[in-house]
Amino acid sequence: MNIPQPLWQEIEQIIVSYPQPQGAVLPALHKIQERMGYLAEEALAQIAGHLRIPQVDLFEIATFYTLLYTRPHGDNIILVCNNISCYILDSETILSTLEDELKIKAGNTTADNKFTLQAVSCLGACDGGPVMLINDQLYPHLTGDKIRRILKEY
Amino acid sequence: MPQTRVLLKNIGTPDSETLDGYLKNGGYQALKKAVSDLTPEEIVDSVKRSGLRGRGGAGFPAGMKWQFCASDQACPKYVICNADEGEPGTFKDRILLEEDPHAVLEGMALAGYAIGANQGYVYIRGEYYKGALSLEKAVTEANQHHYLGQKIYGTDFDFNIQVFRGAGAYICGEETALLDSLEGKAGRSRIKPPYPVNQGLWGKPTCVNNVETLTNIPWVVNKGVDWYRKFGTEESPGTKIYSLSGHVNHPGNYELPMGATLRELIYEYGGGIRQGRRLKAVMPGGASSACLTEKSLDVKMDFHSLAAAGSMLGSGAVIVMDENTCMVGAAHNVAAFFEHESCGRCTPCREGTHWIKRILERVKNFEAKSVAEIDLIADLGQNMRLGAFCPLGMGAPSAALSIIQHFRDEFETHVKEKRCPVNIPAVVPGL
Ligand SMILES: Cc1cc2nc3c(=O)[nH]c(=O)nc-3n(C[C@H](O)[C@H](O)[C@H](O)COP(=O)(O)O)c2cc1C
Ligand code: SF4
């Protein structure tokens, strides 16, 4: 998948807003992902070429960060915190409940492509533990019933 | 007892996140005072005398950092607000970013004026969508009304701020890894020296400060050093936002004078342990801090006292565990976090975090053959403390080592008797 022309214009704007073009890498990748869903190999290669960065460097960046996706993901991304504050409030059960409900293991996407489930590091909402983030929406104080209710909203 | 709300004063006031709301709360007056009546040197001097220490974890004196950066002649210079807030158990910066973003921007502009920078970046973690939106809006509003941008308050001082979103990597909170990430690379720590104050972003002098640190600055400038130092202790002045989480009745952010005790925070403000249980362990400063037990509850929560008690204040993330917590599970969870977040650059950390996690997994699953495996963790930890390249690797074994030290019998029961001595009932209802 190549980067479409209108998106290029937005990326150009990002590039000129940084004193060094390479500063635009992460913002540009965010933008591409927002518009195209994920970071396809062709798109990464195009950005690398445009910014004169070795392609391997760009692939490394794209795989280094948890929130960048180099493969297609589901329509909705569920991030479940599994760090210590949530863990001691039983986040493991939260994760396994989600796995059961969605019939997938963490790290995977449902067959209908509706959800991608990921266990992640602290989401910075520990006073509401156990928590999950679906896209940009935070869900605190999870219980099994609550999870089932929330999933129906999507 | 009421909290001592200075930094959190605006939180919960009407439209606190908007420019109007901020102005009604006295916003941008410190910036006005600074650019109209004070020299950059005077600001640096005030921040130095205030005794303010960095709230991002390391506690480095903010004024000293500013002075180093101000005295470097290279230009341009940059101000970076570290809003990566990745330390497990920490959620104080999120509130400030979402609900009082202009206070953060004003702190950054003051830093820019003091050190001679005209450009600032907020590096906000990718998971904070709401915070990033709130900041973006605040920057736009502040620019429109000339609190940021060109010729601030009609003076020659220009200051622009850009919001930069991270993408999910704990190591990017470490200031030099953050710089690499901003420069468009995978975030990995750099060798220090050179320090960012001299060679930071794109090799230029850069002042990196935490969100909470910067939010203190307008207060120091507005109210003065004597007022500021009324709060807190001699060597850790000011207030601190403690993020309280885990098995307490009322988890949340509590702003108290530095040096409030752990007991006050947990029992007076946090309402004590849930379901009337007993406290078992506390991590007072996030996942890299050594755990403390009931014996240490009267420790003052400032940089000095927590270090003297064998732990650290860190980011102020206080994680409370009750008597039903399996400490092997807790140690394993923290170890797994560090294994995942190790950037992999140096061997002691890459291998050490991996093996500590593996061993704890074996103990947790009753697969460990002998207690000698537990001792191996101490060896690995020692190696990491001495040999790791950056503070992530040096701090990674602290939790596991301290938990083993305090609760060794639990580990031995797992190994020798193949059972967990703690009977953990499910705490999540409705499953
Ligand atoms: C692994 C690691 C993660 C860190 N994460 C953060 C963070 O999320 N936010 C932060 O402000 N400081 C973090 N720090 C501390 C920064 O390196 C740096 O000391 C701080 O941003 C300086 O600002 P301050 O002096 O105002 O605290 C981290 C340090 C390490 C070693
Ligand atoms: S200590 Fe860990 S995080 Fe730091 S450089 Fe080494 S591998 Fe990377």
Side-chain angles (χ1 to χ4, degrees):
Chain A
M1 262 205 300
N2 285 323
I3 299 172
Q5 199 50 41
L7 186 51
W8 265 123
Q9 282 165 9
E10 287 183 70
I11 292 169
E12 279 301 340
Q13 273 180 7
I14 296 175
I15 292 172
V16 297
S17 75
Y18 285 89
Q20 305 276 338
Q22 198 173 339
V25 167
L26 215 43
L29 296 187
H30 272 306
K31 182 67 79 187
I32 296 171
Q33 189 163 284
E34 189 186 307
R35 293 298 154 78
M36 302 176 67
Y38 72 105
L39 303 170
E41 219 175 297
E42 299 87 339
L44 287 171
Q46 278 184 295
I47 292 290
H50 191 73
L51 292 173
R52 296 171 197 278
I53 301 168
Q55 279 192 25
V56 285
D57 288 3
L58 219 71
F59 288 121
E60 197 212 351
I61 293 166
T63 48
F64 180 82
Y65 295 98
T66 309
L67 300 180
L68 297 181
Y69 299 87
T70 51
R71 281 178 301 149
H73 53 71
D75 299 337
N76 302 289
I77 298 179
I78 307 181
L79 306 180
V80 186
C81 171
N82 70 350
N83 276 174
I84 187 71
S85 295
C86 281
Y87 169 78
I88 59 175
L89 296 171
D90 225 357
S91 63
E92 282 191 328
T93 315
I94 295 301
L95 188 62
S96 62
T97 305
L98 280 159
E99 289 180 334
D100 291 348
E101 290 294 323
L102 299 172
K103 300 186 181 58
I104 49 168
K105 285 278 159 207
N108 292 290
T109 300
T110 53
D112 62 2
N113 206 47
K114 207 161 162 191
F115 294 105
T116 295
L117 179 65
Q118 263 178 289
V120 293
S121 294
C122 185
L123 291 169
C126 326
D127 49 346
V131 294
M132 66 177 174
L133 192 65
I134 304 188
N135 308 325
D136 54 6
Q137 180 68 41
L138 201 60
Y139 295 96
H141 303 297
L142 293 174
T143 63
D145 291 344
K146 223 166 165 175
I147 288 174
R148 282 181 280 272
R149 213 164 48 234
I150 293 164
L151 288 180
K152 286 205 191 86
E153 292 169 18
Y154 286 85
Chain B
M1 269 219 308
Q3 298 176 49
T4 308
R5 285 187 160 229
V6 176
L7 307 173
L8 296 178
K9 182 178 148 276
N10 298 345
I11 308 296
T13 60
D15 304 320
S16 64
E17 77 287 3
T18 66
L19 181 61
D20 259 1
Y22 189 59
L23 292 175
K24 281 199 188 100
N25 286 322
Y28 289 113
Q29 289 307 307
L31 182 58
K32 180 179 181 188
K33 180 173 168 186
V35 297
S36 322
D37 303 331
L38 299 169
T39 63
E41 294 75 25
E42 284 172 320
I43 308 270
V44 172
D45 186 56
S46 296
V47 176
K48 268 175 83 176
R49 285 187 298 118
S50 76
L52 169 64
R53 298 174 64 171
R55 304 298 197 237
F60 192 81
M64 211 188 285
K65 187 184 281 184
W66 287 21
Q67 187 174 32
F68 290 145
C69 204
S71 59
D72 198 302
Q73 297 305 312
C75 62
K77 297 180 188 179
Y78 298 103
V79 171
I80 292 175
C81 169
N82 188 342
D84 199 51
E85 189 157 75
E87 188 64 42
T90 317
F91 46 95
K92 64 190 175 68
D93 295 342
R94 182 166 62 88
I95 295 304
L96 295 170
L97 295 162
E98 288 178 3
E99 297 187 35
D100 204 9
H102 285 284
V104 181
L105 303 182
E106 188 176 7
M108 289 177 74
L110 286 162
Y113 180 69
I115 66 161
N118 304 110
Q119 177 69 47
Y121 295 99
V122 186
Y123 186 100
I124 182 167
R125 61 183 307 202
E127 293 86 346
Y128 281 4
Y129 297 98
K130 200 173 160 202
L133 276 179
S134 175
L135 277 170
E136 296 270 12
K137 264 196 204 145
V139 170
T140 307
E141 265 194 307
N143 274 325
Q144 276 167 355
H145 294 86
H146 308 292
Y147 295 102
L148 289 177
Q150 313 295 307
K151 300 209 171 300
I152 293 171
Y153 281 107
T155 65
D156 283 337
F157 176 57
D158 303 339
F159 195 71
N160 290 293
I161 294 179
Q162 234 168 312
V163 180
F164 189 100
R165 290 184 56 215
Y170 168 67
I171 186 63
C172 289
E174 193 283 324
E175 56 186 10
T176 61
L178 183 157
L179 294 172
D180 265 16
S181 181
L182 245 168
E183 289 180 5
K185 304 171 195 157
R188 296 213 170 85
S189 303
R190 300 176 180 174
I191 297 175
K192 290 192 244 187
Y195 290 94
V197 285
N198 301 118
Q199 287 179 43
L201 191 60
W202 295 302
K204 301 298 181 190
T206 303
C207 179
V208 184
N209 275 126
N210 170 258
V211 172
E212 186 186 351
T213 312
L214 289 163
T215 311
N216 275 275
I217 304 296
W219 290 98
V220 172
V221 173
N222 254 338
K223 298 269 191 170
V225 171
D226 292 340
W227 178 87
Y228 186 81
R229 293 195 74 113
K230 277 195 211 145
F231 304 101
T233 66
E234 180 59 28
E235 59 79 51
S236 302
T239 59
K240 174 83 192 86
I241 308 175
Y242 300 100
S243 298
L244 181 63
S245 68
H247 298 140
V248 288
N249 280 313
H250 308 299
N253 284 311
Y254 294 96
E255 183 176 4
L256 306 174
M258 276 272 194
T261 67
L262 204 45
R263 189 186 301 281
E264 282 174 79
L265 177 70
I266 296 172
Y267 288 93
E268 280 183 36
Y269 296 93
I273 312 299
R274 297 195 328 185
Q275 295 163 9
R277 294 202 183 118
R278 283 187 61 176
L279 179 141
K280 187 168 192 176
V282 190
M283 299 177 72
S288 333
S289 66
C291 83
L292 299 172
T293 60
E294 227 176 354
K295 291 198 298 277
S296 308
L297 281 181
D298 291 310
V299 66
K300 285 181 174 356
M301 297 216 295
D302 57 56
F303 290 107
H304 173 80
S305 309
L306 276 168
S311 189
M312 63 179 204
L313 175 62
S315 55
V318 180
I319 305 158
V320 178
M321 302 176 214
D322 72 13
E323 56 188 324
N324 285 354
T325 314
C326 166
M327 297 312 289
V328 175
H332 171 260
N333 179 274
V334 175
F337 165 74
F338 281 112
E339 188 214 27
H340 182 254
E341 299 298 344
S342 164
C343 84
R345 172 172 277 176
C346 69
T347 320
C349 171
R350 187 182 59 242
E351 295 295 315
T353 52
H354 175 71
W355 284 105
I356 291 180
K357 184 198 120 175
R358 276 287 296 277
I359 295 170
L360 288 169
E361 204 162 71
R362 286 166 57 82
V363 177
K364 187 179 168 214
N365 297 335
F366 314 116
E367 290 160 5
K369 295 256 162 8
S370 80
V371 290
E373 294 194 30
I374 304 172
D375 300 318
L376 201 53
I377 296 176
D379 282 354
L380 288 162
Q382 193 58 14
N383 255 334
M384 289 165 72
R385 282 186 172 162
L386 298 174
F389 179 80
C390 87
L392 185 149
M394 295 175 207
S398 298
L401 294 181
S402 63
I403 291 174
I404 293 172
Q405 191 199 330
H406 287 297
F407 302 98
R408 192 178 169 98
D409 49 334
E410 277 189 32
F411 288 74
E412 295 201 354
T413 307
H414 276 76
V415 176
K416 290 186 194 153
E417 300 173 29
K418 310 281 179 224
R419 68 177 181 92
C420 175
V422 187
N423 187 16
I424 321 155
V427 292
V428 180
L431 287 165

